[in-house]
Amino acid sequence: MTLSLPRVPDTTTKVVFLAHATTRTEVRLLDEWIARRSPEGLGSEIVWTGPLGRDGRVSTSLHDVLVRNDDPLLLPVRVAWLPPERGGRRAVRLRDLIATGNPRRPRRHQQSYLARSDPERAPVMCGEPATVSELRQAFVETIAPRVEVESFERFVERRAALALEREESHLLGPQYKVPRLVREELWASVRFQDGLADLANELGRPLPDVQGHARACLDEMVAGYGRSQLDLALQLGRFMYRQAYDGELDIDSEQAARVVAVARHHATVVLPTHRSNLDAGVMPGAWHELGLPPTHTFAGVNMAFWPIGPLMKRSGSIFIRRDTKDDGVYRFVLREYLGYLAEKRFHLEWYIEGGRSRTGKLLPPRLGLLTYVIDAFREGRTDDVVLVPASITYDQLGEVAEFAGEARGEAKRKESLGWLVGFIRANRGQRYGKIYVRFGEPLSLRQLIGPPAGSSAVPGDERTRALQRIGFEVSWRINDATPITATSLLTLALLGALGRGLTFAQVRAAVRLHLEDSVARELPMTESATNLRTDDGLVAALSALAEKGVAVRSADGPDTVFVIGPEQHLAAAFYRNSIVHHFLHAAIVELALAGAAELQVDDAVAEFWQAAYRLRDLLKFDFFFRERDEFRAAIEAELSRHDPAWKERLAAGADVDELLARRSPLLAPLTLRSFVEAYSTVAAELVRRDEGPVVDEEEFVRACEGHGRQRLLQKLIQSPESVSRQLFQTGVQLVEHLGLTHGGPEVAVARKEFAGELRTLLHRLDVVEGIALHSFRRLLAGPIPSEDTNDE
């Protein structure tokens, strides 16, 4: 395997080869290659670089070439050492490193042997050529004069190295396109040094002090890239998730094709969901399978522990601090680093939620890093950046037990080598099903906010609104792409039974109602979900839940019944919450209809919309809603789907039973009860404190946890999954937004009114649930046992 010149030099242009060699074998291979490829009539002038480049040979110095007046064409060349080919791929494996060392950097005696026995593993590469005058112009335009260590000679050497790196990525494939010399490129740039000077003036600190701080931040932040480490990181990621999941990721091919089409031409930012520590291996694996260059993945510094941290950093992970508000230099370096990567069209990745979701539903977007990328685009550093919403979904997840414990107030275990070993052991031999990777419709910043303006200076309010709009658009598209799994549908049905055991026939009837509704609405579904149409598929899914203890199978009586297992409600809620957003509008419709029909009002339709908008306001800290007009249109569509004459019926005074009987399945109790009950507990705790303010949020959340457990025992609330630390935290956000955390007599009155509003909402949930239970009994042509009946 040999490479030809990128372009044939003009016959009148002197060609100088910049030959980088580290061993005698490489010198010989380059000598032979150059002798064969030198332009006829021009001879072959060689500048040898590298440790053994001048090994006893007559060589032109680079300095002499750069100062003379003939303006030669410089052509960088070196040998690329490749791993052995296996199955059509050349990747480094761990056993290669153990047996013979790094195949991409073979030992000296190995190089001589490989060059003779397998010459295809030692191709000679040449980078894109450039004349001395072209390089000098680039040097003047890009290099800051205050960077005293940056000579023109060093600049040329660096550009030659970068040209060879680009050529090697072409040889190996786009999956191995990696950045080199990032620290040097950033540090030497006019933009970076001018920015540091401005920052020093702003902070009132000496420039050398700020420069030293910035260099330390660069060293801490900038990810290195080794192609062998990249191979090993991918293999480690696959090893981790294959301990408990199917070997191949389930990737939607049509969605992937759209992503590949844009990622080949633009810088992209992949924004996946975060449910598991396995995500760190899943998305890079999926990206690699699509034949795309690796992403720079931002991770919390808590994951930088040995030995995973160094490997991750050498394979593109950028560890960043969580709190940087007091370090302006760190924020500046991070901003410039992201801008540089976007400018060079390297792909980025981070979790849009920030951390793992402990509840199963999508968390609010964290927008800090996105701000820097948008600024780089607005400044014209890149012609476009494409945001790629992504969803990683698991049939089942071993970490739900950990999440359930944290929801009950247990401390999160700190990441360490011991933690990693325990994590691998816990997954080993488990069978949790498949991992699904789905991509939402990509978003072009150019289309969203217009062409670059040449400056990031935008009025504060406009900047904030645009950023929030983009973050929410990403979240909506993630939710739209998140598939319904068999586990999520089953837990939706079993949690809706509120502790009642369901026979197989009852589970089948409930699941098929949801399944048919999902198919009619063309919601995304996995194969495991569609298999629930058959008894075999339903048995397999129920057995998988029972095997992990999430559901319990009881065969003591004449019929086998299924129920959520003891202390498993929070785990089951995690799976159900992953698809709640698909049914949110239907649930709001049901509660708003119940509210409008139960009141004697002059305009029931207006009352309906007031109730719907109020629900939107109450739930906005847990769910993502479209703008008001889009929300109204979605509610209208949901109403008309079941009953085109809903408005006329409501205006004519139809009762709740008549309005809701036309809708099947009824979803509000299954999807929203735990959220409303959690809010009601927060409200009850506020009322208990009378006029007292909430001074310590952490103490208040702990009090809500105890109060919630008490209310559950007293049957004031029904769902164990509502006693959740995470739901109480969003409930606190809600009451802060409503101004109920401050003290005083007026606030005390408002707290009681809010608690009363939530009691009314819980009553409406009970009404909808009663109608749903009645419809379900009719569907089965037989009764379902309830708390107030002995029916069998």
Side-chain angles (χ1 to χ4, degrees):
M1 182 188 298
T2 56
L3 300 177
S4 59
L5 295 173
R7 62 183 171 97
V8 178
D10 297 333
T11 57
T12 59
T13 303
K14 180 72 175 180
V15 176
V16 176
F17 292 93
L18 302 184
H20 184 84
T22 60
T23 65
R24 292 184 178 88
T25 298
E26 291 182 349
V27 169
R28 177 176 60 80
L29 291 173
L30 290 172
D31 252 340
E32 294 172 354
W33 189 88
I34 291 171
R36 294 195 303 270
R37 300 300 177 112
S38 295
E40 294 183 8
L42 296 178
S44 57
E45 188 174 1
I46 305 174
V47 172
W48 290 96
T49 63
L52 285 187
R54 299 181 178 84
D55 184 33
R57 2 186 10 95
V58 177
S59 173
T60 305
S61 75
L62 179 58
H63 174 77
D64 292 342
V65 170
L66 297 178
V67 298
R68 68 195 194 196
N69 297 323
D70 57 348
D71 194 23
L73 188 73
L74 306 185
L75 184 64
V77 293
R78 70 175 169 85
V79 178
W81 297 99
L82 306 180
E85 186 174 352
R86 306 180 184 98
R89 299 177 61 183
R90 294 186 181 274
V92 175
R93 298 182 180 179
L94 182 59
R95 64 171 178 258
D96 294 332
L97 298 178
I98 296 174
T100 60
N102 188 349
R104 300 190 193 278
R105 294 181 181 176
R107 300 182 179 98
R108 294 172 185 266
H109 68 278
Q110 291 173 327
Q111 288 186 4
S112 178
Y113 171 77
L114 289 173
R116 294 192 309 270
S117 63
D118 195 355
E120 284 198 348
R121 290 184 58 186
V124 173
M125 307 179 306
C126 53
E128 188 72 24
T131 64
V132 172
S133 59
E134 290 170 341
L135 290 167
R136 189 172 296 279
Q137 181 178 354
F139 175 74
V140 172
E141 291 176 352
T142 61
I143 299 303
R146 66 171 58 89
V147 185
E148 67 284 348
V149 297
E150 187 71 5
S151 66
F152 180 48
E153 185 175 342
R154 172 62 187 134
F155 173 80
V156 171
E157 290 176 346
R158 182 153 49 84
R159 286 300 172 96
L162 292 173
L164 288 168
E165 284 298 326
R166 286 192 292 271
E167 191 61 31
E168 186 166 359
S169 71
H170 295 155
L171 171 67
L172 299 175
Q175 298 97 318
Y176 292 95
K177 177 190 174 185
V178 297
R180 298 292 193 198
L181 303 174
V182 174
R183 289 182 184 83
E184 294 84 349
E185 287 272 287
L186 265 173
W187 183 257
S189 71
V190 172
R191 176 190 174 90
F192 193 83
Q193 291 298 329
D194 285 349
L196 287 180
D198 292 341
L199 186 60
N201 289 331
E202 179 185 333
L203 298 176
R205 292 169 57 183
L207 178 59
D209 181 28
V210 172
Q211 286 177 323
H213 189 174
R215 188 179 286 278
C217 291
L218 271 177
D219 291 340
E220 174 187 334
M221 193 183 303
V222 173
Y225 254 112
R227 292 188 173 96
S228 297
Q229 286 90 339
L230 181 61
D231 285 334
L232 293 178
L234 288 166
Q235 291 168 36
L236 176 61
R238 293 189 185 107
F239 168 78
M240 294 279 286
Y241 68 71
R242 286 175 177 174
Q243 296 292 301
Y245 295 91
D246 287 3
E248 299 302 319
L249 300 173
D250 188 307
I251 304 174
D252 185 283
S253 58
E254 291 185 10
Q255 295 172 353
R258 289 198 299 269
V259 171
V260 170
V262 297
R264 284 178 175 166
H265 303 289
H266 302 286
T268 62
V269 180
V270 189
L271 299 168
T273 55
H274 195 17
R275 302 292 176 273
S276 169
N277 287 306
L278 296 174
D279 296 340
V282 170
M283 188 53 69
W287 206 247
H288 190 82
E289 287 181 24
L290 298 180
L292 293 171
T295 62
H296 284 73
T297 303
F298 289 83
V301 73
N302 59 302
M303 296 300 295
F305 61 88
W306 186 89
I308 295 300
L311 176 60
M312 290 175 66
K313 190 166 186 179
R314 286 288 292 159
S315 55
S317 290
I318 302 169
F319 296 108
I320 56 174
R321 305 172 191 170
R322 296 195 181 277
D323 185 5
T324 63
K325 61 179 180 293
D326 295 326
D327 193 338
V329 176
Y330 185 92
R331 293 197 308 275
F332 168 81
V333 173
L334 179 59
R335 182 180 185 272
E336 290 302 307
Y337 184 26
L338 262 73
Y340 172 85
L341 294 173
E343 179 181 339
K344 301 300 181 182
R345 292 188 178 180
F346 288 109
H347 301 313
L348 307 173
E349 178 192 340
W350 64 81
Y351 301 118
I352 187 69
E353 303 162 277
R356 287 179 296 167
S357 170
R358 267 67 173 175
T359 63
K361 67 176 184 60
L362 191 64
L363 300 178
R366 298 289 186 91
L367 302 175
L369 293 175
L370 193 57
T371 305
Y372 296 149
V373 172
I374 293 173
D375 286 348
F377 167 71
R378 281 188 166 132
E379 292 167 0
R381 300 183 69 176
T382 179
D383 62 340
D384 198 3
V385 178
V386 177
L387 310 181
V388 179
S391 168
I392 304 174
T393 305
Y394 299 81
D395 271 330
Q396 289 197 64
L397 190 61
E399 289 156 271
V400 294
E402 171 193 340
F403 298 156
E406 291 178 20
R408 290 189 290 264
E410 297 175 10
K412 175 181 176 291
R413 185 179 177 187
K414 185 178 180 180
E415 291 82 0
S416 64
L417 179 58
W419 165 86
L420 177 64
V421 172
F423 182 77
I424 294 174
R425 285 177 176 172
N427 281 308
R428 184 179 299 158
Q430 301 290 338
R431 299 314 312 158
Y432 286 124
K434 288 186 176 183
I435 303 175
Y436 306 93
V437 178
R438 299 292 185 264
F439 296 104
E441 189 70 30
L443 294 86
S444 159
L445 287 186
R446 193 180 190 91
Q447 293 177 4
L448 284 171
I449 61 179
S455 170
S456 63
V458 177
D461 291 345
E462 180 182 338
R463 176 190 176 101
T464 300
R465 285 195 299 270
L467 184 62
Q468 290 176 341
R469 185 176 70 252
I470 292 170
F472 273 70
E473 186 65 43
V474 170
S475 299
W476 292 326
R477 297 192 186 197
I478 289 174
N479 273 340
D480 288 345
T482 299
I484 295 171
T485 65
T487 303
S488 58
L489 271 185
L490 279 176
T491 51
L492 179 71
L494 292 174
L495 284 169
L498 292 175
R500 303 179 183 92
L502 299 182
T503 67
F504 182 82
Q506 291 167 340
V507 174
R508 177 174 56 195
V511 166
R512 286 186 180 174
L513 275 176
H514 301 306
L515 195 59
E516 291 168 5
D517 180 58
S518 300
V519 170
R521 295 170 56 199
E522 299 182 341
L523 297 177
M525 285 190 290
T526 65
E527 184 181 0
S528 67
T530 57
N531 285 344
L532 294 177
R533 293 172 174 171
T534 67
D535 283 358
D536 288 344
L538 184 58
V539 167
L542 278 169
S543 298
L545 273 181
E547 181 184 342
K548 304 306 178 188
V550 178
V552 172
R553 179 194 298 111
S554 175
D556 294 339
D559 295 314
T560 300
V561 296
F562 300 86
V563 68
I564 297 297
E567 301 296 318
Q568 292 295 315
H569 287 79
L570 288 168
F574 178 92
Y575 298 120
R576 177 205 60 196
N577 289 345
S578 68
I579 62 170
V580 163
H581 58 275
H582 287 306
F583 309 107
L584 183 58
H585 289 146
I588 288 175
V589 163
E590 293 161 15
L591 290 178
L593 284 174
E598 73 184 8
L599 300 172
Q600 297 297 320
V601 294
D602 295 333
D603 189 342
V605 175
E607 185 67 29
F608 167 85
W609 285 114
Q610 183 177 342
Y613 289 135
R614 180 56 177 166
L615 283 166
R616 179 177 180 268
D617 287 340
L618 288 175
L619 296 168
K620 66 183 179 183
F621 290 99
D622 266 307
F623 298 99
F624 306 102
F625 292 101
R626 295 278 184 178
E627 297 298 330
R628 189 179 179 92
D629 290 344
E630 293 178 86
F631 170 77
R632 185 182 181 106
I635 294 295
E636 288 264 17
E638 174 60 31
L639 283 158
S640 299
R641 188 168 67 89
H642 286 277
D643 185 3
W646 70 272
K647 194 176 299 183
E648 291 76 12
R649 298 183 200 282
L650 185 57
D655 62 20
V656 176
D657 285 37
E658 180 185 346
L659 291 167
L660 294 182
R662 296 176 178 274
R663 303 182 57 82
S664 180
L666 292 174
L667 295 160
L670 310 183
T671 56
L672 295 183
R673 180 178 289 278
S674 59
F675 298 95
V676 178
E677 288 187 344
Y679 299 166
S680 73
T681 297
V682 171
E685 179 61 24
L686 284 174
V687 169
R688 190 184 69 81
R689 299 185 179 214
D690 195 25
E691 299 180 8
V694 175
V695 178
D696 184 341
E697 183 177 318
E698 178 63 26
E699 178 276 328
F700 182 76
V701 170
R702 287 197 301 270
C704 288
E705 290 172 335
H707 200 157
R709 287 189 288 270
Q710 174 187 316
R711 298 182 80 217
L712 186 64
L713 290 173
Q714 293 176 304
K715 301 297 183 182
L716 297 174
I717 55 177
Q718 299 182 39
S719 53
E721 64 269 23
S722 69
V723 186
S724 163
R725 182 176 187 81
Q726 285 75 35
L727 296 189
F728 293 143
Q729 287 171 335
T730 52
V732 171
Q733 288 180 279
L734 172 61
V735 296
E736 283 179 342
H737 173 72
L738 295 174
L740 301 180
T741 54
H742 308 297
E746 293 182 358
V747 171
V749 172
R751 289 173 178 177
K752 292 178 181 177
E753 291 175 351
F754 180 61
E757 180 183 6
L758 290 173
R759 283 194 298 272
T760 299
L761 200 51
L762 288 173
H763 170 71
R764 292 173 186 170
L765 281 167
D766 292 338
V767 169
V768 176
E769 184 178 278
I771 297 171
L773 185 59
H774 180 68
S775 299
F776 195 48
R777 284 172 174 157
R778 286 190 302 169
L779 174 70
L780 293 169
I784 297 176
S786 63
E787 292 176 355
D788 58 356
T789 179
N790 292 320
D791 291 340
E792 295 294 335

